Structures are given as C-alpha cells and as structure tokens.
Amino acid sequence: MEIIEFDRWKPSVDNPRKVEYVGQRTAQEVYEELKHRLDGQGYLPDEYFLLSDEWKNGREIPRDADLFCTVDYGASEGVYVDVYLKWYDEKQKKSMTERFITGKTLGENGNDLDRMFLTASAITKAVHGDHATHARYMQVGGADEDTGGRVIHLSQQEEKVIIEALVEQRERQEEAMSQTEQLLRRMTGSITAYMDTVGQRPLRISDYDKAVLAVRDGELSALRELYPRVRDQAGELLIETANRPGVVGRQMTLLLVADTERFPELAYRTACQKAIAINDPVKVAFLLEQAGGCVHELSPSFHGEMAGCAYMDHRHIAKEIIRQCTNEQIAAAPPYLLELFAQDADFHTLSALVEKGISGGDSAARTLHMLTYEGRNSWIAEELLEKRMWVDPNNYGALHACVENGAVDVAKLLLDGGMDFNQYRQRFPDSGSPDTIQALEEHWQTIQEQAQKLEQEQADAPGMGGGMALG
C-alpha cells in the first residue's frame, strides 16, 4: 500500500508531469487514515486509539515532521502504544516533540506486548513504508530472501499456500471473513493485489464485493475497472468510498460522483455522515456542493441537517458547512442549530445563522433560555433579535424564558416584535420577579400608547376618515 503522506501536493500548472507542494495535511485527517489502515489489518488496539486533544480542530502537521512510536506496560493495567511527532520549530529555534496518538489494549501479558509492538511496526510502515516485496511481485516457485522469524515465520512459498487456504476459508465461512481479510492484507499488502497476480482461480465473490475490497485496500485502478459492472449499487458503494480516509478515498468518491447521474437521498445522506465521521472536511464540502445535482428533489433542510450532524464531534466542519451554505439553505435549516451553538455562546456562528435567515421556530425558547440564563450572554440574544432572528409572536414560551431569567431588555425586544404582554400574563400569571414584571408592564404601556397615537394620527390625516363619498 502507499505510504500515508503528511504533505499535500498537486500537479504543476507549468508541467503536469511534475507535482508542487501546496501545504500540510491536518493531523485529524492523517489520524483517520492511519486508524482505517490499522483496523483493516487487524492491528487496531482493542481498548482505544485516540488523537491527542492538541492536534484536533484542524491543526496541521508541521512540515518535515517525523513520526516514531513507543510501547510499554501501563502503570496500572494494559499495554500502551504512544505515537509522537518530532520536528524543528523555526520560530522557537529548537526541536519539538509532542504526543500525537495514544492506543491501549486491556491485556497485559507477553503476547499482548508483542502484538502492540506489531501495531507500532504497522504504524511506522504506514508512514515510512516497509520496503517489502508484496504479492504482485512474488516469484512463484521460489523466494529470494526467506528471513524467517517469529512474526510470520513463513517463506514466500509457504505464504502462498496459506494465502490460498485463507481465500478458500473466506469463500466458505462468512463469519470468519473479516479476520481472513485482515490476514490477507498483512501477508500480501492488499487483497486486490493477490486477486490480480497470485490467484490461480478467480475468487467466487461478486463484482460488488470485489469493488468494496478495492475501496478498503485503496486500489483506485481496481475500483475504476470494477465500477461499470456495479453501477446499480452506486449508492452503497458511495458510502464505502465516503468512509475511506485519505486522498485515495477522495479520488474514489470523485470517481463515483462524476460517473453516476443520481443517488438515492438516503445513501447520499449516509455518505455525507460517513465523511463527517472520519473528519474529512474536503470530502464533506465536495459532497455537499454536489448534492443538489446528485439527488433528485433533495430535502431543503439537507445542508443544515449535515451541519447539525457534524456539531458534536467535529464542530469545525459544522462551522464550515454553515459558512458555505446559501441563505436559502440556512433558511430551510432545522432551528435546533441555534440551540447547539447557543450552548457554547458562539456569537460568530449564531450571527451567521441569523443573518442567513434561520428561523427560531420551536427552538426559540430554549435558545433564548440558554443565552439569558443568569444573564451571562443576554447581549448575544439582544444582538440576534435586533439582526433578524424571527420568533413567532405567539411563542410565549420564548418570552417566558426571558422573564424567568430576568432578561428585561431581551423581553422588551420580543414585545416590540409583536408579542402581547396581556396574553402572556394570562398564561403565566405567577412568572418573573416583581421588578421584571413592573419594567415590562411599563414598556408594554408605552407600546400601547404609541400604537394609539399612531392610529389617531392616521385617522386625523386628510382623506383617511369619513369613508368614501360617491357623488
């Protein structure tokens, strides 16, 4: 398999046969691709494999950074693999080393330690390469170098025998399929490489299954060859490519989107959610940009729902979705987006939502409650209402939240927007502190006087009274 790069490159404008550096990949993107690689090989630690907090939220990997691993028993239980990044910081003029990822397995005997060292080895090879000869380059009938050893302890000829036995097992035993695929990946580099060059007979699996294996192995050329035969399952295959991290996953997704006229909305929605889950903002942005042309009668709230989906674990993606959405897409977005960002008092994102026309809807009361509770962020609520946040004049729950929290100025804005304070008092006769109620009663009286004055002025204006005279 190809190594996982830390740099981003693109074809040169001057010479398409050359590439030029365009920047660094984000740490989360590299982490997701590495996690996918370990999971496919069966080397993912069974307890957890977590990215360090300081590398989240779009932080890029420093240029020329190197990666190394350490493995050791834990202080209390389990075996740990710690993955570090090391680089030279030009600004500080010194070498920097920071923990990148930590993995843990609950077992703590010698076999668990050995297996965690294999995990560290797989991580190192994923980034630096393994300099090995894989299945597509094996010489049938002999092995150039049989070093043996305790890790696999097989010559290349013996590997070939085991591989064929594993393939036979994969065909016959569905329950052992995932473990068999992991062994095949470890021994051959990829299943598709084995199928192409070593197999003495075609595997008795469908073209769709072969396409899925090509996606998981990162074999773009194999997918390109297989896809025309499985177009009727384009939706399911799009979900697989969307879930495949890294550059090759994006290329596969692009291939399917470019070659497929329409996808079912459910499949396309799931694909977007998968891209969000693996923290691939580039793929998410591409899928959302193409959604209108790829899905027939796309739900108007689709983009807003995807922003809500990204909020919990990948907030930076949620913010980017909102930034790229049109006013029409945000106007149709579910109102609960306001609640989500009100939890963090994220004024910038809340303002963007309101300026693009989101409605308070049935989330108005909860949003205003969170912003006015203990008076912490009442100023944000005022700003949103003064911009264009629409609250239904009959939503007295929104006014009640402000009254209960003593947010007089916010409540006044709701009254200015058309809420009837008399109706509110009938529904909530015992609400609010005396000071709050008095202040709002005075404001309501002022509103009423101004309305009566305006009516009188209109009645006294020339041509406005006495009805129409017919002569």
Side-chain angles (χ1 to χ4, degrees):
M1 293 186 183
E2 296 182 357
I3 66 172
I4 298 175
E5 300 278 1
F6 291 168
D7 306 330
R8 292 189 292 114
W9 302 84
K10 70 175 183 179
S12 172
V13 177
D14 299 329
N15 187 350
R17 288 180 293 181
K18 294 183 178 180
V19 294
E20 56 186 27
Y21 172 78
V22 293
Q24 295 298 111
R25 299 178 70 189
T26 66
Q28 287 182 307
E29 180 183 348
V30 172
Y31 160 76
E32 291 291 349
E33 189 169 0
L34 183 58
K35 182 180 177 182
H36 179 88
R37 184 82 59 93
L38 294 178
D39 189 31
Q41 295 173 333
Y43 284 136
L44 192 65
D46 57 11
E47 177 66 3
Y48 60 73
F49 188 71
L50 301 175
L51 178 66
S52 298
D53 288 342
E54 56 267 27
W55 291 101
K56 295 179 180 179
N57 298 316
R59 182 181 175 187
E60 294 182 348
I61 292 181
R63 191 168 189 184
D64 298 324
D66 195 14
L67 176 147
F68 67 92
C69 304
T70 63
V71 176
D72 203 352
Y73 291 111
S76 58
E77 63 175 9
V79 181
Y80 292 79
V81 57
D82 288 305
V83 186
Y84 293 88
L85 290 174
K86 183 177 182 179
W87 71 97
Y88 184 78
D89 191 308
E90 291 289 348
K91 293 182 178 179
Q92 302 185 51
K93 300 298 181 184
K94 66 177 182 179
S95 294
M96 305 288 290
T97 300
E98 289 187 18
R99 180 178 291 150
F100 180 38
I101 299 169
T102 299
K104 178 188 175 185
T105 184
L106 281 176
E108 49 188 356
N109 60 32
N111 290 333
D112 295 314
L113 183 67
D114 291 342
R115 186 165 185 80
M116 197 63 96
F117 269 108
L118 288 175
T119 296
S121 174
I123 293 170
T124 303
K125 287 188 287 188
V127 173
H128 295 134
D130 59 5
H131 311 290
T133 301
H134 290 305
R136 68 175 71 238
Y137 305 114
M138 287 182 181
Q139 296 183 4
V140 178
D144 292 335
E145 295 182 6
D146 181 7
T147 59
R150 298 287 296 177
V151 176
I152 296 181
H153 201 63
L154 296 172
S155 69
Q156 291 182 359
Q157 288 176 313
E158 291 169 328
E159 282 184 18
K160 185 175 183 293
V161 174
I162 296 298
I163 289 170
E164 291 188 354
L166 289 172
V167 171
E168 184 70 23
Q169 174 178 298
R170 187 186 185 282
E171 295 172 0
R172 295 176 181 273
Q173 300 180 22
E174 291 294 325
E175 293 182 0
M177 184 181 298
S178 61
Q179 291 86 356
T180 302
E181 289 180 2
Q182 290 171 355
L183 288 170
L184 285 168
R185 284 190 180 93
R186 280 189 231 163
M187 296 178 69
T188 68
S190 74
I191 301 174
T192 49
Y194 172 79
M195 292 193 310
D196 287 345
T197 61
V198 180
Q200 299 300 306
R201 64 194 184 286
L203 299 182
R204 293 191 292 274
I205 59 176
S206 68
D207 286 334
Y208 174 75
D209 287 338
K210 291 180 182 179
V212 170
L213 293 177
V215 172
R216 294 177 182 175
D217 279 342
E219 297 285 348
L220 180 60
S221 58
L223 176 63
R224 188 177 284 114
E225 180 182 344
L226 288 164
Y227 178 63
R229 303 201 291 269
V230 294
R231 281 196 178 93
D232 58 331
Q233 293 175 280
E236 293 90 337
L237 203 54
L238 180 69
I239 294 172
E240 292 287 341
T241 64
N243 194 45
R244 213 289 178 195
V247 176
V248 69
R250 293 173 189 163
Q251 293 172 333
M252 290 175 167
T253 303
L254 176 62
L255 169 66
L256 264 65
V257 171
D259 199 57
T260 305
E261 185 174 348
R262 286 288 187 271
F263 293 96
E265 180 170 336
L266 180 59
Y268 204 87
R269 180 184 298 272
T270 304
C272 290
Q273 292 169 339
K274 293 290 186 181
I276 290 169
I278 64 170
N279 189 42
D280 192 335
V282 176
K283 187 183 294 181
V284 172
F286 169 73
L287 287 171
L288 291 182
E289 182 183 1
Q290 302 297 318
C294 288
V295 179
H296 181 61
E297 295 183 353
L298 183 71
S299 299
S301 62
F302 184 84
H303 290 73
E305 291 172 17
M306 291 302 102
C309 175
Y311 173 84
M312 188 59 67
D313 296 318
H314 304 290
R315 204 158 304 175
H316 63 290
I317 294 181
K319 292 181 179 181
E320 185 61 21
I321 292 173
I322 291 170
R323 189 186 69 81
Q324 294 183 2
C325 279
T326 64
N327 290 5
E328 291 76 13
Q329 290 166 346
I330 292 299
Y336 66 73
L337 283 179
L338 288 169
E339 285 186 65
L340 294 178
F341 289 97
Q343 295 178 49
D344 301 329
D346 186 341
F347 175 67
H348 179 76
T349 306
L350 288 168
S351 293
L353 288 168
V354 170
E355 288 170 358
K356 290 188 175 185
I358 196 169
S359 167
D362 56 7
S363 292
R366 291 185 291 273
T367 299
L368 292 175
H369 168 69
M370 284 185 279
L371 292 175
T372 60
Y373 184 69
E374 294 184 349
R376 295 172 184 168
N377 297 291
S378 294
W379 67 272
I380 297 180
E382 293 178 45
E383 289 277 352
L384 298 181
L385 290 171
E386 288 174 347
K387 284 179 183 291
R388 55 180 290 190
M389 177 178 164
W390 184 81
V391 179
D392 188 336
N394 295 313
N395 187 352
Y396 291 103
L399 180 56
H400 185 59
C402 300
V403 172
E404 288 292 282
N405 291 335
V408 174
D409 290 337
V410 182
K412 287 179 179 179
L413 290 172
L414 292 175
L415 297 180
D416 292 341
M419 285 196 182
D420 189 313
F421 192 63
N422 291 332
Q423 288 288 329
Y424 169 75
R425 291 295 288 161
Q426 291 177 15
R427 299 186 186 209
F428 301 94
D430 301 321
S431 65
S433 68
D435 290 343
T436 298
I437 296 301
Q438 181 180 350
L440 294 179
E441 284 178 341
E442 292 175 356
H443 186 70
W444 177 246
Q445 183 63 34
T446 301
I447 292 175
Q448 295 297 98
E449 292 173 355
Q450 291 175 345
Q452 292 173 1
K453 182 179 178 180
L454 180 61
E455 287 182 11
Q456 187 62 46
E457 289 176 351
Q458 291 176 342
D460 295 340
M464 296 299 292
M468 182 180 295
L470 297 178

